[in-house]
Amino acid sequence: MTSEPRTELAPVSASLKNRTILMSGGSRGIGLAIAKAAGALGANIVLLSKTADPHPSLEGTIHTAVEEINQAGGRGLAVVGDVRIDEDVQRAVAEAVATFGGIDIVVNNASAINLAKTEQVDMKRYDLMQDINVRGTFLLSKTALPHLRASQHAHILTLSPPLNLDPRWAGEHLAYTMAKYGMSMTTLGLAEELKDEGVGVNSLWPETLIDTAAIRNLPGGQKMIQGARDAQIVADAAMAILSSDPKNLSGNFFTDAQVLTLAGETDLEKYTLNPEVPLVEDIFL
C-alpha cells in the first residue's frame, strides 16, 4: 500500500536564506522566474544549462540569468553543461558543494517539448525528450541525493504534470506525454522511496498557459498569451513548496493555483495578463 501525500505548506513569504538550489535549465522562462524568486528569498542557485551563448530569437543565457539572480538578492553560479551527460551533472553537483558547502534543493526544470502526433515525431526528437525530461530528471536527482540526505531542508521539485491517465493526453501527443509522465513517475517513486528520510519530493505544474518568450515566439503566440498568467505565479508557488518543512510535504502533484490557495493567497487575479480574456487551461489537467 502506497503512502498518502503529506501536504503542509509554508506561506509564500518564508525564507530560503543560505539554502542551496541546484536547477537544470533556468536561463529563461519559468525556470528563471523560480531562480530569481529564490534569490530574493536569500538562496544560492546553481544553474546547469547549455545556454552559454545568446539565442537568435530568445533572450537570456545562463550568464545573464546569474546576473539577474544576484540582482534579486541571491548568489548565482553558472555551470555550463548538459543534463543528459553524466559527467556534466556530476560536475554541477561537485561545484555546488565546493562553492556553497552542500545542496538542499534540486529543481528539475529542464524539459524538451514536441506536441506532434506519433507518425510525425522524428526519433531524434523523441530521444531528446526522453533524455532531457526523463533521464535528466532521474540523473540530477540521483546524483544530488547523498547531499540532500545530509541537508536539514531537502527538497526535490520537478516541473511536471499530475499523472492523469485520461487517454486523451496520450492520444494528443504520445511521445511528449510519455516524456513528461516519466518526470512525474520520478516524483511518485522518489517520494515513496525517501518517505522516511526527510526529503520532500513534489511536482508542480501550471494550471493555465504561462507567458514566456518561447510561447510569444510561436506562430500566433502574441494572441495566445492573452489567455495566460505571468510566470511569477509558478515562481511564487515554488517558493511556498520549497520554504515548507520537507518532512510535512511530499508526494504531491500540485498546480500553481492550488499551492497558492493552500498557502493562503487569495488574489490570483494579479497574475493574469489580460483579465478580459478567459484563461487557457494547461495540458494534462
Side-chain angles (χ1 to χ4, degrees), residues 214-244:
I215 296 292
R216 287 174 179 259
N217 279 354
L218 291 174
Q222 293 295 328
K223 182 177 180 181
M224 289 170 63
I225 58 99
Q226 294 303 307
R229 284 173 169 153
D230 188 87
Q232 192 63 41
I233 189 171
V234 188
D236 287 349
M239 294 310 98
I241 293 170
L242 299 179
S243 301
S244 299

Side-chain angles (χ1 to χ4, degrees), residues 4-172:
E4 288 296 317
R6 301 189 296 278
T7 307
E8 187 176 311
L9 281 156
V12 176
S13 59
S15 175
L16 286 175
K17 188 172 178 61
N18 297 325
R19 302 296 185 192
T20 297
I21 298 172
L22 174 59
M23 176 187 289
S24 60
S27 57
R28 58 176 72 98
I30 290 173
L32 178 58
I34 292 172
K36 288 166 61 178
L41 294 182
N44 311 314
I45 298 99
V46 181
L47 300 182
L48 170 63
S49 173
K50 294 195 308 174
T51 316
D53 300 314
H55 188 278
S57 59
L58 296 174
E59 288 187 8
T61 68
I62 189 173
H63 304 296
T64 60
V66 164
E67 289 175 10
E68 292 187 53
I69 290 165
N70 294 340
Q71 289 168 4
R75 291 195 296 167
L77 175 66
V79 179
V80 178
D82 191 331
V83 75
R84 296 174 293 173
I85 298 174
D86 296 21
E87 292 77 13
D88 286 1
V89 172
Q90 291 161 3
R91 178 166 50 86
V93 168
E95 290 194 26
V97 173
T99 305
F100 299 117
I103 297 170
D104 301 291
I105 295 165
V106 167
V107 178
N108 292 301
N109 164 72
S111 186
I113 181 171
N114 185 302
L115 299 180
K117 298 288 188 182
T118 299
E119 286 182 293
Q120 280 71 51
V121 175
D122 181 275
M123 289 311 293
K124 285 187 177 180
R125 190 69 189 184
Y126 176 92
D127 290 342
L128 182 72
M129 289 193 286
Q130 287 290 328
D131 285 349
I132 294 176
N133 301 9
V134 188
R135 190 182 191 278
T137 295
F138 184 90
L139 176 61
L140 191 65
S141 303
K142 165 189 166 67
T143 308
L145 200 49
H147 304 287
L148 294 174
R149 285 195 173 101
S151 170
Q152 298 301 305
H153 191 83
H155 281 278
I156 298 173
L157 181 63
T158 298
L159 298 184
S160 67
L163 287 165
N164 182 351
L165 296 184
D166 182 337
R168 171 189 174 188
W169 300 115
E172 288 280 352

Side-chain angles (χ1 to χ4, degrees), residues 204-273:
L204 178 64
W205 191 247
E207 181 182 75
T208 68
L209 188 67
I210 298 296
D211 176 25
T212 64
I215 296 292
R216 287 174 179 259
N217 279 354
L218 291 174
Q222 293 295 328
K223 182 177 180 181
M224 289 170 63
I225 58 99
Q226 294 303 307
R229 284 173 169 153
D230 188 87
Q232 192 63 41
I233 189 171
V234 188
D236 287 349
M239 294 310 98
I241 293 170
L242 299 179
S243 301
S244 299
D245 184 344
K247 298 178 183 65
N248 299 325
L249 191 72
S250 193
N252 299 281
F253 293 91
F254 288 121
T255 65
D256 48 11
Q258 179 188 15
V259 169
L260 293 176
T261 300
L262 288 170
E265 178 61 67
T266 57
D267 179 19
L268 299 185
E269 188 77 11
K270 64 185 178 183
Y271 300 108
T272 301
L273 263 66

